[in-house]
Structure formats: structure tokens, C-alpha cells
Amino acid sequence: MSLAASSLGDVQSSKSGAVGRGTGSTSDASGDGFFTRHKLKLLLVVLDSVAIALAYFIVLFVGTYVRDTGTARAFVLIAVAVVAGLWAERSQGLMLARVSAVRVVELTRLIRAAALLAVVVTLFDRVFKLDMRIRESAGGALLALVFLVASRSAYRAWLVYERSRGNYGRPVLLVGADEESARMLNLFSTHRELGMNVVGVVGDRTEAIVNHLEELWIGEPSDTAQLAAELDVSGVVISPMALPTVMLNALIRELQDQSLHVHLTTGIAGIDARRLRSLPLSYEPLLYVEPVSLSRLQLVMKRVMDIIASALILVLASPVMFVIALLIKLDDRGPVFFLQKRVGKEGTTFGVLKFRTMSVDAEARLAQLKAENERNGPLFKMERDPRVTGIGRFLRATSLDELPQLIN
């Protein structure tokens, strides 16, 4: 999901006078100043620096380099590797949320950055004659890649957990008061881990009332830039269908002149984003939807890969799963797993195995909590569901409760 780009972006705190209910708090981002506004990016830089430094430290100190040339040269090369690595990451856009949010894209660019790192360190060594071997510069870059993937994965899991608790959010404005904006508000409210905290809705007031957005309505579309500055938001989410084309284009330019992040919704729901292709026609930004078409051979290969990958990950994750199972059992002595029924192809039901995150009597208590349902329709959702156990909150926030699905 493109809006998940906020998971690695800058954090900005909304002013104390922010209007409306919002979708979460920015309690951990209180106060102004450079560090508060950039603490997440600073933390990411520190983690990346440590990962690169540790990789080259291991290669140079565990190997024969230090014995042959001394520690002084080794520390010089480590410092150069850190600077070169951060530069390589920046050149690949790895400090930008919209790039790092997509795991496949992040991994691809981390590989490129590691290759650049090896080249820069090698060139530095050749110019200043520090006697580093090719295998040491390449080995350091390869180990740095492993550490970077691991540290960024841990960082992402931590940030998702914190944002699910309402911390480190990005205050944004919703532009447009139509049904699409209402859907986006529901999305951000349900998936707090996205870190998109809506502090106000800008659009037609009558339309806002119709779509139950009146509590967040703060002004007309022509006031967007002024309100964005007053509320100190980091970006806006615009529903293009709610604005005339001329106004939309002018507003985007005005907001970008204020260095704000601009997201455009598509009005599309229920279609896998990987099936969408950008297909501009006569400079018009259209999306082409790829059909779902897998051959029998592709289906067989997918099934084989699913089984092999699941079995391998199960083996690697088994120590973690054992600890989780033990914690659940110690918490209330109830069952470790929960079998949830889902509807599959052609209406058939199947069981989804998950770690239990709710109390044993959760189903019996559901009727008492129906009045506090935060969703419209048959699905039940509460921000602070009292049925969720202590360990369950952590498992949900980190998605570790989904690990048993590898068995399905």
C-alpha cells in the first residue's frame, strides 16, 4: 500500500490547537525543534551507520588486515565505509519514506547501495594505499547488506508497534469531503500503524455532513494551504474526485511549494496494487489493471515455493514461536492458538491458525461491547478492546500473531 510510505518518513507534531478528533495521538512527538521533527530519520541514520561500521569492523579485525597493517588504518577505513554507505543509501533514495516503504524496492536499492559502497571503499583504498584487499572491501559491503536488512526490519517492526499505540504519527489534512475521503479516514483509523493522523478535513461542508465528516471539517478547499501552515501538518491526502481539475492542479503546486507531502487517492478498493500499471495516455495519468491469469504450471510452482518457504521460515522462527507460546500460556493458562474462520474461493470457508491474542471468554463478551463498535457493518472493531491480553497487544502490533499461518 503506497500510504504505508509514512512508516519511514519524517515525524512532525501537530500544534496543540489541532482541530478535530484525528486518528491517533502524537504524544511521543511533542514539542518543537530539529530533533523532535527528525528523530525517526536520525534514528534510522544511526542504525544504518552502526550496521555498516560493525560489518567492516568484523571483516577487518577478525581477518588478517589489522595484524598486517595496524588498527589506525582499519578505523580510517571503517569511518570511510560509514560515510560512503550513507552517501550510497542517499543516492538510492533509501532515506525517503516513499521508497523504503515497499520492501522489494528497499531490498533492491540496498543491494545497489552495497555495491556502490564496495566500489567507493576500494577506490579510496587504492588512492590512499591503505592495503585493503578486494575481498575485504566486498566482504564488508556484503556483510553490511545483511546487517542493514536486519536492522531496518527491526526498526520497521518497532515503528509499526509504536504507531499502533498512537506514537510518532504524521499530522495530515484530508482534502475533499466525499465518500473517498471518508473511506481514507476509516483506513487511517483502522490501520494506525500507518501513522497518518488526520487533524482536519477540508472540503464542501454539506458533503462533509452527508459523509459524517462534520466533526473534522475545518474549511473550504481554497483555504487548504493556509490551514496546512497553521496546523503545521506534514502533508495532505487529496481525493481528486472532490475537486475540479484546475483547482486540483493549482492546489498541488501550492502545497508542494510549501514542501508538503501530497498523496492522491485513486478511488480503487479491493484490487491488489501489484496488478496496477501506470499507463499515461496523451499525458493523462491512467492506471491499467492487469488480469489475474496464472497458468497451471505457475500455480504448481507457486504452491511448491509456498511449501518450501513456509517450512524454512517455520524452522527459523520456531524459537520465537516457542517463546510466544510460552508467554501466552503463562498469561492466563488458556490455549495458545486460535482458529479463525475465513471465507475463501466460491464461498467456501477455511480455518486460519493464529496465536491467541484475546481472553478465553472473548466471544462471550462480544455482545456486551457491540454498542462501542467503531466500524459500520458486521465487522467489530475497538481501538482499545478490553478482551485483548497484554501479550496480545504486542503480538497484534508486530503481526507476530500471524506466524502460525505458515502452517495453514
Side-chain angles (χ1 to χ4, degrees), residues 8 44 94 99-112 145 148-149 152-153 156:
L8 288 170
L44 189 61
L94 286 163
V99 173
S100 298
V102 184
R103 298 300 294 270
V104 174
V105 174
E106 182 183 52
L107 180 58
T108 301
R109 298 202 182 192
L110 279 174
I111 293 172
R112 293 179 189 169
L145 174 62
L148 284 169
V149 172
R152 281 185 168 233
S153 297
R156 188 189 304 269

Side-chain angles (χ1 to χ4, degrees), residues 63-219:
T64 61
Y65 182 83
V66 170
R67 290 199 302 270
D68 296 340
T69 61
T71 58
R73 291 187 177 187
F75 280 114
V76 169
L77 285 171
I78 291 172
V80 169
V82 170
V83 174
L86 294 177
W87 168 81
E89 287 186 343
R90 185 177 179 83
S91 72
Q92 295 299 312
L94 286 163
M95 296 301 173
L96 298 175
R98 57 185 177 273
V99 173
S100 298
V102 184
R103 298 300 294 270
V104 174
V105 174
E106 182 183 52
L107 180 58
T108 301
R109 298 202 182 192
L110 279 174
I111 293 172
R112 293 179 189 169
L116 282 173
L117 170 60
V119 170
V120 172
V121 171
T122 301
L123 289 175
F124 182 88
D125 174 77
R126 294 299 179 266
V127 171
F128 293 94
K129 304 186 185 307
L130 298 179
D131 301 323
M132 177 184 252
R133 302 175 184 87
I134 293 290
R135 67 172 180 268
E136 290 167 339
S137 60
L142 182 60
L143 192 57
L145 174 62
V146 174
F147 288 163
L148 284 169
V149 172
S151 66
R152 281 185 168 233
S153 297
Y155 169 83
R156 188 189 304 269
W158 167 80
L159 186 56
V160 165
Y161 173 66
E162 286 295 322
R163 282 184 164 166
S164 70
R165 297 170 59 202
N167 300 324
Y168 300 105
R170 298 174 58 189
V172 297
L173 283 181
L174 274 179
V175 180
D178 57 357
E179 185 179 348
E180 176 70 0
S181 290
R183 190 174 69 86
M184 286 294 104
L185 179 62
N186 183 59
L187 174 70
F188 299 149
S189 300
T190 304
H191 295 279
R192 298 180 65 194
E193 71 276 7
L194 298 176
M196 305 288 271
N197 297 341
V198 178
V199 298
V201 173
V202 179
D204 180 75
R205 181 170 176 76
T206 303
E207 198 171 21
I209 294 172
V210 170
N211 291 294
H212 309 291
L213 297 172
E214 64 273 13
E215 291 184 34
L216 280 170
W217 184 84
I218 56 175

Side-chain angles (χ1 to χ4, degrees), residues 249-267:
N249 293 338
L251 180 59
I252 291 174
R253 287 193 295 269
E254 188 176 7
L255 293 171
Q256 289 185 328
D257 286 341
Q258 295 179 210
S259 299
L260 293 175
H261 298 289
V262 177
H263 300 270
L264 296 179
T265 69
T266 62

Side-chain angles (χ1 to χ4, degrees), residues 17-92:
V19 178
R21 290 174 284 132
T23 59
S25 94
T26 51
S27 57
D28 235 60
S30 58
D32 292 322
F34 180 86
F35 181 72
T36 297
R37 290 177 174 274
H38 300 274
K39 63 170 68 174
L40 287 184
K41 187 168 287 187
L42 180 60
L43 176 59
L44 189 61
V45 169
V46 170
L47 288 174
D48 287 352
S49 300
V50 170
I52 297 167
L54 181 60
Y56 275 90
F57 179 88
I58 291 174
V59 168
L60 297 178
F61 279 80
V62 174
T64 61
Y65 182 83
V66 170
R67 290 199 302 270
D68 296 340
T69 61
T71 58
R73 291 187 177 187
F75 280 114
V76 169
L77 285 171
I78 291 172
V80 169
V82 170
V83 174
L86 294 177
W87 168 81
E89 287 186 343
R90 185 177 179 83
S91 72
Q92 295 299 312

Side-chain angles (χ1 to χ4, degrees), residues 111-375:
I111 293 172
R112 293 179 189 169
L116 282 173
L117 170 60
V119 170
V120 172
V121 171
T122 301
L123 289 175
F124 182 88
D125 174 77
R126 294 299 179 266
V127 171
F128 293 94
K129 304 186 185 307
L130 298 179
D131 301 323
M132 177 184 252
R133 302 175 184 87
I134 293 290
R135 67 172 180 268
E136 290 167 339
S137 60
L142 182 60
L143 192 57
L145 174 62
V146 174
F147 288 163
L148 284 169
V149 172
S151 66
R152 281 185 168 233
S153 297
Y155 169 83
R156 188 189 304 269
W158 167 80
L159 186 56
V160 165
Y161 173 66
E162 286 295 322
R163 282 184 164 166
S164 70
R165 297 170 59 202
N167 300 324
Y168 300 105
R170 298 174 58 189
V172 297
L173 283 181
L174 274 179
V175 180
D178 57 357
E179 185 179 348
E180 176 70 0
S181 290
R183 190 174 69 86
M184 286 294 104
L185 179 62
N186 183 59
L187 174 70
F188 299 149
S189 300
T190 304
H191 295 279
R192 298 180 65 194
E193 71 276 7
L194 298 176
M196 305 288 271
N197 297 341
V198 178
V199 298
V201 173
V202 179
D204 180 75
R205 181 170 176 76
T206 303
E207 198 171 21
I209 294 172
V210 170
N211 291 294
H212 309 291
L213 297 172
E214 64 273 13
E215 291 184 34
L216 280 170
W217 184 84
I218 56 175
E220 299 293 333
S222 57
D223 302 324
T224 302
Q226 179 183 346
L227 290 168
E230 290 177 356
L231 295 175
D232 198 21
V233 299
S234 66
V236 298
V237 179
I238 304 176
S239 171
M241 292 74 74
L243 302 176
T245 302
V246 175
M247 178 183 289
L248 174 65
N249 293 338
L251 180 59
I252 291 174
R253 287 193 295 269
E254 188 176 7
L255 293 171
Q256 289 185 328
D257 286 341
Q258 295 179 210
S259 299
L260 293 175
H261 298 289
V262 177
H263 300 270
L264 296 179
T265 69
T266 62
I268 299 173
I271 296 178
D272 192 334
R274 290 169 294 186
R275 293 173 55 199
L276 301 178
R277 300 285 182 269
S278 176
L279 183 65
L281 298 177
S282 186
Y283 303 104
E284 289 294 321
L286 270 67
L287 294 175
Y288 180 82
V289 183
E290 295 283 0
V292 180
S293 58
L294 293 177
S295 67
R296 181 171 293 276
L297 177 61
Q298 286 176 312
L299 290 172
V300 171
M301 291 300 297
K302 179 184 182 302
R303 182 59 180 157
V304 171
M305 290 300 298
D306 284 347
I307 293 173
I308 294 175
S310 298
L312 179 61
I313 298 172
L314 270 173
V315 172
L316 295 175
S318 56
V320 176
M321 295 178 70
F322 175 77
V323 172
I324 292 173
L326 184 62
L327 290 174
I328 293 173
K329 201 68 178 176
L330 291 175
D331 188 45
D332 60 5
R333 307 294 180 182
V336 170
F337 298 108
F338 173 71
L339 188 64
Q340 188 177 49
K341 291 294 182 181
R342 296 281 179 89
V343 180
K345 188 176 180 181
E346 297 178 355
T348 58
T349 59
F350 63 97
V352 173
L353 199 62
K354 303 170 73 172
F355 280 123
R356 183 174 59 84
T357 58
M358 286 190 170
S359 59
V360 179
D361 61 344
E363 292 296 326
R365 296 168 61 188
L366 179 59
Q368 305 171 12
L369 302 171
K370 283 286 189 181
E372 300 181 50
N373 191 4
E374 295 172 1
R375 278 186 178 176

